[in-house]
Amino acid sequence: MDFYYVNSADQRVNFYDYPYLFQEGDLLDYSHSYSVAENTNKIEYTSKSQEKTVKLAVLPDFSLSLEQRRQAVKQHVDELLELLEYDVVNNKLGKLYSSTGYYLECNIFASKKSDWNLGIPFLFNQFSVIAPKQKWIKEITYNFYPQDGESQESTEVKQYPFLYPYLYGDDSRAQPFDNDHFSASDFKLIAYGPFSDFYVQINDHLYQVDYELESNEYMTIDSRNKTIIMTNQYGEQTNLFQYQDFSSDVFKKIEPGNNTISYSRTFGIDLIIYQERSEPAWT
């Protein structure tokens, strides 16, 4: 398994190719905090922040002259610090990716170097990694497009947002999607205007926000951060939290396995599912 890091400015550094070669680390190890209630057989688990280590070898191009290799190693060390330190000084999280498609939101906040003073252009650099949430994440994106005008006109769908959390009508409005995971997953749902009110049913659960969007506006429901934000064509944002239907949890996680999304199909939706694991999948 290989790793690479992408900072919050979208700058990438590979840990599997010259000049930085991964040596060892405990990125794949994990543990859960737990407590056992007295006089019960129930164990409660909680996530906790954990420091991880990544040890890299910093190597030059060996076809260069000795002096050129010395200068190259210095340059590689400086460039690596600047890319990693960017997130620390800006208090933003970067992403440490595995080659299997999972990422860990984290900062690389400490460095310990060795073998840099042996008189040869080479050193080891061991980094400390801190992740606020010890979860490796894989994003699965589904795109649902509006039907064309003919389909919209020929199909009648009745909505009962206040009495019944269901949509009735043509089955073509129901679209299947798969959350190929072992547990319920957080999500980000992006709905693109125009629409008058927002009603979407996933399986038998209603997601509803009573707000009108114009063209060139979109709404983002983020279950991880419990936010509902409208963004207009100028990038200005409006908090829509108060417009949700509080009788039906708009942040309810997506169930594992086969799911169905049903809505009017008069606007487009992007659904991003965040599959979380304590370690990245190996395949």
Side-chain angles (χ1 to χ4, degrees):
M1 190 183 303
D2 295 323
F3 299 95
Y4 62 93
Y5 183 84
V6 179
N7 70 9
S8 56
D10 203 31
Q11 299 170 317
R12 169 173 170 165
V13 57
N14 296 329
F15 292 166
Y16 56 84
D17 196 6
Y18 286 100
Y20 313 111
L21 294 182
F22 183 88
Q23 301 297 296
E24 61 183 3
D26 57 358
L27 293 175
L28 302 178
D29 299 338
Y30 70 91
S31 65
H32 295 287
S33 297
Y34 66 90
S35 61
V36 180
E38 189 174 358
N39 299 323
T40 72
N41 61 353
K42 183 178 180 180
I43 303 174
E44 294 186 358
Y45 293 96
T46 57
S47 297
K48 66 176 182 179
S49 299
Q50 295 178 329
E51 290 187 20
K52 300 291 187 180
T53 60
V54 175
K55 186 176 182 180
L56 304 178
V58 182
L59 302 170
D61 180 350
F62 288 99
S63 67
L64 300 174
S65 68
L66 177 59
E67 183 57 33
Q68 288 175 324
R69 280 181 280 155
R70 286 172 176 165
Q71 293 303 316
V73 168
K74 293 177 183 179
Q75 181 179 346
H76 297 328
V77 173
D78 286 343
E79 290 174 347
L80 184 57
L81 177 135
E82 291 170 9
L83 188 149
L84 301 177
E85 193 86 342
Y86 180 89
D87 292 330
V88 174
V89 299
N90 289 285
N91 197 23
K92 295 182 178 181
L93 293 175
K95 294 178 179 178
L96 183 61
Y97 283 86
S98 74
S99 56
T100 56
Y102 291 80
Y103 65 81
L104 179 71
E105 293 183 302
C106 62
N107 282 147
I108 298 179
F109 70 95
S111 168
K112 183 178 181 182
K113 301 170 183 63
S114 60
D115 295 338
W116 60 272
N117 58 347
L118 298 180
I120 57 176
F122 163 86
L123 63 84
F124 289 113
N125 201 338
Q126 179 169 297
F127 293 99
S128 297
V129 181
I130 183 66
K133 188 176 183 181
Q134 188 56 42
K135 293 294 183 182
W136 290 84
I137 300 169
K138 185 174 184 178
E139 297 182 10
I140 307 296
T141 300
Y142 288 96
N143 309 110
F144 302 98
Y145 300 101
Q147 291 180 335
D148 58 33
E150 180 180 353
S151 297
Q152 292 172 17
E153 293 174 358
S154 63
T155 304
E156 180 181 357
V157 175
K158 297 181 180 180
Q159 300 186 22
Y160 301 91
F162 300 106
L163 297 178
Y164 307 101
Y166 299 99
L167 304 179
Y168 298 91
D170 193 326
D171 287 342
S172 66
R173 306 268 176 144
Q175 295 291 306
F177 68 95
D178 184 25
N179 181 16
D180 183 18
H181 200 44
F182 53 81
S183 65
S185 302
D186 277 310
F187 67 91
K188 182 180 289 184
L189 189 152
I190 306 171
Y192 300 91
F195 53 79
S196 55
D197 286 319
F198 176 81
Y199 310 106
V200 164
Q201 179 181 310
I202 298 180
N203 300 329
D204 60 354
H205 187 80
L206 185 69
Y207 298 78
Q208 177 176 333
V209 180
D210 299 319
Y211 198 85
E212 182 175 350
L213 262 66
E214 304 292 338
S215 298
N216 300 319
E217 296 179 336
Y218 63 90
M219 178 184 67
T220 304
I221 301 174
D222 187 336
S223 72
R224 295 189 298 175
N225 296 309
K226 302 294 188 291
T227 58
I228 309 172
I229 302 294
M230 185 274 285
T231 305
N232 67 18
Q233 59 182 321
Y234 306 107
E236 300 167 337
Q237 295 186 331
T238 302
N239 186 352
L240 303 186
F241 188 87
Q242 62 180 317
Y243 295 99
Q244 66 176 292
D245 177 10
F246 287 95
S247 67
S248 184
D249 183 11
V250 76
F251 304 119
K252 183 178 185 294
K253 292 184 177 183
I254 306 298
E255 294 299 321
N258 295 322
N259 292 266
T260 301
I261 183 170
S262 306
Y263 72 106
S264 67
R265 301 291 301 281
T266 59
F267 54 91
I269 288 176
D270 292 336
L271 178 62
I272 305 170
I273 300 174
Y274 300 98
Q275 298 179 346
E276 296 184 346
R277 298 168 57 100
S278 295
E279 65 180 45
W282 288 67
T283 57

